[in-house]
Amino acid sequence: GDSRPITRAPRVKYLPDTRTGCPPTQDANTDIQAHTLTLASSADVRFEIETVTNSISRVDHHLLVDGVAQKSSLTANTNAAWQPVRITWGGTLAAGSHTFSYRSNTANTTGCGSTWGSMMITVYE
């Protein structure tokens, strides 16, 4: 494991899903939410999303860091019903700008406002 001490309090960036609609109109494989964060130095980062999805088939969600999928989650239904989606990733990122986002492979199925959807990024420097 990494034995570097955490010398500063974590920074937390909470970003509610501000899209309208339940679920909102959203093209497949496009960023549902995205946020760019600049790190002054190398840091450990935790990135998580929470949302809901409604579909009568399989829906895959992908959590991306700098445009590269890091973790995925799937839901599958045989009838239309809301299902929770939670994905968490953690890692060490170099100093500089990094973009955090998530996507769905199915259009118009994910999210129902800020009560049901958000991204949270925690930085441990």
Side-chain angles (χ1 to χ4, degrees):
D2 192 343
S3 62
R4 292 179 298 152
I6 295 175
T7 58
R8 293 173 50 184
R11 289 189 288 150
V12 176
K13 185 72 174 178
Y14 177 80
L15 303 151
D17 185 348
T18 58
R19 300 171 305 145
T20 58
C22 200
T25 300
Q26 179 77 40
D27 290 339
N29 302 309
T30 60
D31 289 343
I32 293 170
Q33 284 187 266
H35 182 73
T36 300
L37 182 69
T38 301
L39 303 175
S41 61
S42 175
D44 295 329
V45 178
R46 176 185 167 102
F47 174 36
E48 54 194 297
I49 65 108
E50 289 187 342
T51 190
V52 292
T53 189
N54 192 340
S55 177
I56 59 170
S57 62
R58 175 179 168 164
V59 178
D60 296 349
H61 292 84
H62 306 286
L63 187 149
L64 297 91
V65 178
D66 297 329
V68 177
Q70 301 295 327
K71 289 274 294 263
S72 298
S73 175
L74 69 87
T75 59
N77 263 343
T78 56
N79 57 19
W82 289 101
Q83 291 191 24
V85 177
R86 287 190 174 139
I87 311 174
T88 302
W89 173 86
T92 302
L93 297 175
S97 292
H98 298 279
T99 301
F100 302 85
S101 63
Y102 70 97
R103 299 176 180 179
S104 168
N105 70 336
T106 307
N108 310 325
T109 60
T110 300
C112 187
S114 61
T115 300
W116 297 100
S118 64
M119 290 179 16
M120 189 162 62
I121 306 163
T122 307
V123 179
Y124 304 90
E125 296 177 295

